[in-house]
Amino acid sequence: MGLDDKIGNAAEKLGGKGKEAAGEATGDDRLKAEGQSDQAKGDLKQAGEKVKDAFKQD
């Protein structure tokens, strides 16, 4: 996994946590759900990159 990918995925996950917290604080369920979705996307991208790395090592 490239450093740029790691940083991008972490930023997406962190941004999602921020959105979720803002949605929770304001009672905005849509924003909260969007934040949770962004976190899940970041996690999936990280998992995909790890799979790619595993195949590159063989």
Side-chain angles (χ1 to χ4, degrees), residues 28-45:
D28 186 341
D29 291 335
R30 188 179 70 75
L31 185 60
K32 182 179 173 184
E34 188 176 321
Q36 291 170 340
S37 174
D38 288 350
Q39 289 177 67
K41 287 179 198 174
D43 287 340
L44 285 173
K45 286 179 184 178

Side-chain angles (χ1 to χ4, degrees), residues 15-27:
K17 285 185 182 205
K19 282 183 184 178
E20 182 180 8
E24 184 74 32
T26 62

Side-chain angles (χ1 to χ4, degrees), residues 1-13 41-50 52-53 56:
M1 180 185 316
L3 183 59
D4 292 341
D5 292 330
K6 286 182 182 180
I7 292 170
N9 296 339
E12 184 167 18
K13 189 171 178 179
K41 287 179 198 174
D43 287 340
L44 285 173
K45 286 179 184 178
Q46 283 180 324
E49 290 296 326
K50 287 180 182 180
K52 281 194 242 178
D53 286 347
K56 286 181 184 178

